[in-house]
Amino acid sequence: MGAVNLKQIAQRAGVSLATASRVLSGSDYPVKDDLRERVLEVAAQLDYVPNASARVLLRGRSSIVGVLVGDVSDPFFSGMIGGIYEVADDADYMVNVVNTFREPGKELDTLRRLREQRVDILIVAGSGLDDAAFTAGMEKSLAAFVQGGNAAVLIGHHGISDDVHAARVHFDNREAAREVAEHLRELGHQRIALITGDPRLLSTRDRVLGFRDVFGDRVIPVETEPTRDGGYEAAGTILSTRPEVTAIASTADQMAFGTLVYLRERGILVPNEMSVTGFNDIDVAKDFVPSLTSAHVPLREMGRRAMELGLQGLEGDVDDIEVMPELAIRASTGPARK
Amino acid sequence: MGAVNLKQIAQRAGVSLATASRVLSGSDYPVKDDLRERVLEVAAQLDYVPNASARVLLRGRSSIVGVLVGDVSDPFFSGMIGGIYEVADDADYMVNVVNTFREPGKELDTLRRLREQRVDILIVAGSGLDDAAFTAGMEKSLAAFVQGGNAAVLIGHHGISDDVHAARVHFDNREAAREVAEHLRELGHQRIALITGDPRLLSTRDRVLGFRDVFGDRVIPVETEPTRDGGYEAAGTILSTRPEVTAIASTADQMAFGTLVYLRERGILVPNEMSVTGFNDIDVAKDFVPSLTSAHVPLREMGRRAMELGLQGLEGDVDDIEVMPELAIRASTGPARK
DNA sequence: ATGAAAGCGCTAACAT
DNA sequence: ATGTTAGCGCTTTCAT
């Protein structure tokens, strides 16, 4: 029981702990070849793997980046995570992703667990939340983390005070939403429905605001699960209660897919009878039928940049960057029906 | 610099290290209320978070499950990972996912890093590989890991000797492929192309075998990147070089999507002029146009079961389970054109 | 009820 | 060139 440790290697090889360590830790300290070989052989034979905990304890650095997301299997997050991995891998960092399962109450908890692991870098990708106690807890935790000599990166997470010395990857959700809305307005739409996920999420809020900037009261918000099925259901509600609507927007592509499927099943033509828009522009959006008009969010790039900022943060320079929305106009939107 | 530690808490609170530990580690050891409160207060004030490394070192258990996958952002893996998280979360386990980026050479490396972290449970989800040295390395590493009192779970990873005391989640790729092939044969197809990813992957191999069981030499394998773009490209190659083909199968849905898009752009009717099949049946497959006939692989369930097996493995009982393929017949397949 | 001290596995400073 | 030892942060005996 228990993994093989250095002491066992040293004993078997008939050398001191220090010698074994010097050989196996990649130190450039000189060790005679015959001893070195003996150590190496025993280590290989027993398949010795050093204990990272002990090393971390000693060094105070873990080479682990902790990532806080809502749900790893959501393409929105897994895109970002993919970007993080790319950079982390080159920098020899392990990536430790934790799920909050979109339960905001859990976020503080998981953040703490990541801190317990003594991650060097913390990337918070879950959206902010409109909740004072939560925000305060978050700020305190992040401040203490950074205070401890680590780097924190917030992705699209405003609501956290600038006093927290964290790098940020900004994405202007409101502006992106405005572009989508503007596109619909130009097509002559007057009354639109907007399917949203949890309205307490700041990203959702901002997206709603963007639509309101253009449509004011003429946007009808419908709250649902942020999934394909949620969008499917919401579309049904909208059609039966709001016949005046000529376009259905969503705050995430998955919901728009659900809406498109619903419309397809009902034989309602898109975009002739109804326009549909998504948000985030995940990979399949362009291949869906009809291809989905969506606010493109450069997820992979955001992940990459976040990780780069984290690495820089360790060196002491905390930076802010902004990635730009870009409206992807496709086949799911057209002139409002008469 | 450096995170706050117990010693600092103890000093500030004017108590001994032991007392501080007893209060903060949730021990049921009795501590007078006034001291307890003082410690708690100081800890809250400084936002103390215990060092997991130290704890792991002491306890020998990390409550971390390590997961080895090809690529986190691939829906195939992220589905499984989602399942793992569900169970891990309930068991208070952290999930540490590492990417091999589909570079088989990296697998041994990443496995080692996970072992360094002293994960209690190891779930290997990347496919096996037809490479003796690789397999031997894998076996040795896993054996040593289990020997150390941990639990290993292999998902669809045959090729690893039964001597390795690992739990397994089996999925019969060959049988699943056979079902797809059989379906095509029944529709009258005689000549089919099969788009595959890396043929060194055992899962790919098995799927190819399943098709060969039914079609023998009449299946034309085409190797490409296991992505949407890879499938798109491969479709082009097939159409220009193999006009006799009446159906294009793929060993993963993403490639089939690419194929469908290519055919759509060329105005080739599916399934009238060409049938298309996928594999894995990821979420969007049913909503694609045309909806994709695919071998359904219960990814989420496999993840859940794997994690359950891992937890059981810690208790010493190593089990094998098998999940069943189920052919999802949809609109992308039809009778062979004349 | 409290504190002192040993020790988890490892590295690095310090002898020899 | 090799070995001995202190100590990273914590929990848990073992005194008191």
Side-chain angles (χ1 to χ4, degrees), chain B residues 10-170:
Chain B
Q11 276 170 350
R12 284 237 199 185
V15 299
S16 73
L17 239 187
T19 302
S21 167
R22 296 201 256 257
V23 172
L24 295 170
S25 69
S27 151
D28 49 6
Y29 202 93
V31 173
K32 268 224 188 93
D33 283 355
D34 57 330
L35 289 194
R36 154 164 275 124
E37 294 214 2
R38 273 216 316 268
V39 172
L40 251 19
E41 192 182 349
V42 174
Q45 198 181 308
L46 269 49
D47 205 9
Y48 167 76
V49 175
N51 187 323
S53 292
R55 236 179 215 170
V56 170
L57 208 50
L58 224 41
R59 292 212 219 279
R61 286 244 149 283
S62 63
S63 292
I64 297 179
V65 50
V67 184
L68 204 68
V69 301
D71 178 1
V72 268
S73 50
D74 180 336
F76 176 77
F77 291 113
S78 65
M80 275 189 200
I81 294 172
I84 292 172
Y85 269 96
E86 282 179 32
V87 178
D89 193 57
D90 287 339
D92 239 358
Y93 257 74
M94 291 210 84
V95 182
N96 202 158
V97 182
V98 295
N99 248 350
T100 63
F101 292 97
R102 303 178 183 290
E103 293 166 32
K106 255 192 139 143
E107 205 149 341
L108 252 19
D109 235 49
T110 46
L111 179 52
R112 186 189 161 90
R113 292 203 68 174
L114 247 15
R115 288 221 278 143
E116 289 180 357
Q117 304 294 324
R118 291 298 183 266
V119 298
D120 299 339
I121 302 173
L122 205 45
I123 298 178
V124 183
S127 166
L129 198 66
D130 183 26
D131 176 326
F134 167 81
T135 304
M138 204 71 180
E139 286 175 347
K140 185 168 184 192
S141 197
L142 287 173
F145 178 72
V146 173
Q147 187 62 32
N150 305 295
V153 184
L154 270 23
I155 301 186
H157 216 293
H158 67 220
I160 297 290
S161 156
D162 284 344
D163 297 347
V164 176
H165 217 55
R168 289 157 198 260
V169 177
H170 289 289

Side-chain angles (χ1 to χ4, degrees), chain A residues 262-285:
Chain A
Y262 183 88
L263 296 173
R264 185 195 299 156
E265 289 177 3
R266 292 295 161 120
I268 296 169
L269 264 41
V270 176
N272 309 46
E273 301 173 66
M274 185 71 79
S275 282
V276 174
T277 67
F279 219 107
N280 296 334
D281 191 24
I282 61 177
D283 286 344
V284 275

Side-chain angles (χ1 to χ4, degrees), chain B:
Chain B
M1 273 311 237
V4 178
N5 62 22
L6 239 205
K7 199 169 155 195
Q8 295 171 37
I9 303 289
Q11 276 170 350
R12 284 237 199 185
V15 299
S16 73
L17 239 187
T19 302
S21 167
R22 296 201 256 257
V23 172
L24 295 170
S25 69
S27 151
D28 49 6
Y29 202 93
V31 173
K32 268 224 188 93
D33 283 355
D34 57 330
L35 289 194
R36 154 164 275 124
E37 294 214 2
R38 273 216 316 268
V39 172
L40 251 19
E41 192 182 349
V42 174
Q45 198 181 308
L46 269 49
D47 205 9
Y48 167 76
V49 175
N51 187 323
S53 292
R55 236 179 215 170
V56 170
L57 208 50
L58 224 41
R59 292 212 219 279
R61 286 244 149 283
S62 63
S63 292
I64 297 179
V65 50
V67 184
L68 204 68
V69 301
D71 178 1
V72 268
S73 50
D74 180 336
F76 176 77
F77 291 113
S78 65
M80 275 189 200
I81 294 172
I84 292 172
Y85 269 96
E86 282 179 32
V87 178
D89 193 57
D90 287 339
D92 239 358
Y93 257 74
M94 291 210 84
V95 182
N96 202 158
V97 182
V98 295
N99 248 350
T100 63
F101 292 97
R102 303 178 183 290
E103 293 166 32
K106 255 192 139 143
E107 205 149 341
L108 252 19
D109 235 49
T110 46
L111 179 52
R112 186 189 161 90
R113 292 203 68 174
L114 247 15
R115 288 221 278 143
E116 289 180 357
Q117 304 294 324
R118 291 298 183 266
V119 298
D120 299 339
I121 302 173
L122 205 45
I123 298 178
V124 183
S127 166
L129 198 66
D130 183 26
D131 176 326
F134 167 81
T135 304
M138 204 71 180
E139 286 175 347
K140 185 168 184 192
S141 197
L142 287 173
F145 178 72
V146 173
Q147 187 62 32
N150 305 295
V153 184
L154 270 23
I155 301 186
H157 216 293
H158 67 220
I160 297 290
S161 156
D162 284 344
D163 297 347
V164 176
H165 217 55
R168 289 157 198 260
V169 177
H170 289 289
F171 177 79
D172 193 337
N173 278 298
R174 186 168 182 167
E175 168 59 22
R178 218 182 275 134
E179 288 178 14
V180 176
E182 196 57 48
H183 167 65
L184 289 173
R185 202 184 50 75
E186 282 167 11
L187 288 168
H189 294 274
Q190 301 280 346
R191 279 296 217 162
I192 71 167
L194 175 59
I195 305 179
T196 77
D198 190 337
R200 287 173 307 164
L201 294 179
L202 292 177
S203 57
T204 299
R205 292 263 258 246
D206 288 342
R207 291 172 184 192
V208 173
L209 283 176
F211 277 94
R212 289 229 182 278
D213 285 344
V214 175
F215 284 102
D217 288 344
R218 289 164 306 151
V219 44
I220 299 154
V222 180
E223 191 184 330
T224 187
E225 287 296 301
T227 59
R228 178 260 194 206
D229 290 346
Y232 182 93
E233 219 179 299
T237 309
I238 293 163
L239 256 61
S240 60
T241 62
R242 299 296 194 147
E244 73 272 28
V245 158
T246 61
I248 302 179
S250 284
T251 56
D253 291 337
Q254 285 100 311
M255 294 185 280
F257 293 152
T259 298
L260 287 174
V261 171
Y262 183 88
L263 296 173
R264 187 195 297 158
E265 288 178 2
R266 292 293 161 121
I268 296 170
L269 263 41
V270 176
N272 309 43
E273 302 173 64
M274 184 70 79
S275 283
V276 174
T277 68
F279 219 109
N280 295 335
D281 191 23
I282 60 176
D283 285 344
V284 276
K286 67 175 184 306
D287 294 330
F288 218 82
V289 177
S291 59
L292 182 67
T293 293
S294 189
H296 181 74
V297 182
L299 300 171
R300 231 182 158 85
E301 183 193 350
M302 287 167 81
R304 268 196 306 265
R305 302 298 289 275
M307 186 62 203
E308 285 164 5
L309 285 178
L311 257 9
Q312 280 175 36
L314 250 23
E315 314 289 80
D317 66 335
V318 173
D319 211 359
D320 263 38
I321 62 157
E322 174 139 23
V323 297
M324 286 301 165
E326 201 175 325
L327 182 61
I329 298 175
R330 306 217 178 84
S332 66
T333 45
R337 68 166 187 274
K338 292 295 162 336

